[in-house]
Amino acid sequence: MTASPLPPFGHGLRPLWGLEEGMRFLNHGSYGATPKSVLAAQQAWRDRMEAQPVRFFSAEMPHALRAAARVLAEFLGTSDDKLVFVDNATTAVNTVLHSFPWQPGDELVLLRHAYPAVANAVRFAAERHGVTVRTVPVPLPLADEGQLAESLAAVLTPRARLAVIDHVSSPLSLVYPVKALVKLCRERGVRVLMDGAHAPGMLPLDLEKIGADWYTGNCHKWLYSPKGSAFLWAASEAQELLHPLAISLHLGEGFAAEFDWTGTKDPTPWLAVPAAVEFLRSLGPEAARDYMHRLVVGAADSLAREWETALPAPENMLAAMASIPLPDTQERTLADARRLHDRLWQHHRIEVPVQCIDNRLWVRISGQVYNQAEDYELLADAAVEELRRL
Ligand SMILES: Cc1ncc(COP(=O)(O)O)c(C=O)c1O
């Protein structure tokens, strides 16, 4: 049987999701949105689990999990012996920080504007182990990718042991030149944990070529899988020191064995990942990425023009999200950002994140295949109107 062709990208695809009618949903980035077909695949796994739980957990799940890991690994340009499932990027980052063999006096390098949960985990690990955190400034606006490499080079000292580097910056929406940054760290003997929370699905990924020691990515954002599906990739030589945060039945039996069982939980978000990969393949990954990029760059350009503000970097550093400063000169707080977000939702039914970056308010827009240009049109005026009322 041949599958019926999908409608063109845009609102015609919205029925493939359960998104509520009557809103402008410009925030795929925070939590993703899972298509109905992927949720159905997850439900089929749940039904199987509950039909005979003992058979499922003892006989079926171990194989099914590795089969799912193989599908994901192939999609990400790697092999499944280097990839395990975790609930989310936060868990993966904590896992590496917890396992790392810290010595007092070591330095841990983090980029400015790292995701706050990641920055907290870094601070927590540093305080526990007598490690110093060095922050890499991100000059805004960035003239080009090279500027970030220079900034990183200036922060790496002989005491630096681990750098935590974003692949796609959450507040700034910028795609960082990860291969160059990893190369720089390697030359200085610094190991790299890459936070690719937004990358799977949004970017064409080849994990082997990036060359990090550890890489984590969320599947529940841009790869369309159910919430609570992420992976932790570890280079072969970076696996031995790694243990899950919850030590369980298979301690000492190898990387995949330890992570595949960390206690009883619902594994169906992970088991549904092959259905999510299949969904993206049915859209055509390259065509989808191209659509999302053009949509978001077009909308970001027009918002920046209307607001007479500037994007934080050249367009070639954007993928499917863009962050734009609002036309506002006041010193602002996170509370202001939250109020503006709530007003945009309550009065205009626009769901868009508002951020406070260096005391200024910014919005971050996402472009997904179910969005089209009209979705962004109201935002320019609505944001200005609600800013005035803050
Ligand atoms: C760059 C970055 N890292 C980590 C995370 C955390 O993701 P999760 O909440 O799925 O752990 C996010 C979430 O948006 C993020 O943007």
Side-chain angles (χ1 to χ4, degrees), residues 29-30 88-91 115 118 166 168-170 195 197-198 218 220-221 364:
S30 283
N88 46 51
T90 305
T91 303
Y115 185 70
V118 172
D166 319 27
V168 182
S169 159
S170 169
D195 173 6
H198 285 276
N218 279 330
H220 50 235
K221 288 183 188 286
R364 185 186 76 188

Side-chain angles (χ1 to χ4, degrees), residues 160-233:
R161 297 284 306 286
L162 176 69
V164 180
I165 296 176
D166 319 27
H167 196 163
V168 182
S169 159
S170 169
L172 300 172
S173 307
L174 302 179
V175 181
Y176 289 155
V178 289
K179 278 191 210 157
L181 301 182
V182 169
K183 183 165 174 282
L184 186 61
C185 289
R186 288 231 174 260
E187 285 164 4
R188 307 279 185 97
V190 180
R191 305 186 88 174
V192 180
L193 163 59
M194 191 67 66
D195 173 6
H198 285 276
M202 184 196 278
L203 304 174
L205 278 182
D206 192 331
L207 295 184
E208 297 289 338
K209 288 202 178 131
I210 291 173
D213 294 271
W214 301 280
Y215 189 110
T216 181
N218 279 330
C219 303
H220 50 235
K221 288 183 188 286
W222 298 86
L223 194 53
Y224 306 120
S225 68
K227 318 286 176 266
S229 54
F231 67 86
L232 174 57
W233 177 92

Side-chain angles (χ1 to χ4, degrees), residues 65-66 69 72 82-96 193 197 215-220 225-234 242-246 255-256 258-262 265-271 273:
L65 209 52
R66 281 293 104 205
L72 181 60
K82 296 181 184 163
L83 185 141
V84 291
F85 287 110
V86 289
D87 291 347
N88 46 51
T90 305
T91 303
V93 167
N94 276 276
T95 300
V96 175
L193 163 59
Y215 189 110
T216 181
N218 279 330
C219 303
H220 50 235
S225 68
K227 318 286 176 266
S229 54
F231 67 86
L232 174 57
W233 177 92
L242 214 54
H243 299 283
L245 294 172
F255 177 55
E258 283 194 32
F259 280 85
D260 280 2
W261 186 262
T262 56
K265 58 167 281 169
D266 181 352
T268 61
W270 301 340
L271 296 173
V273 165

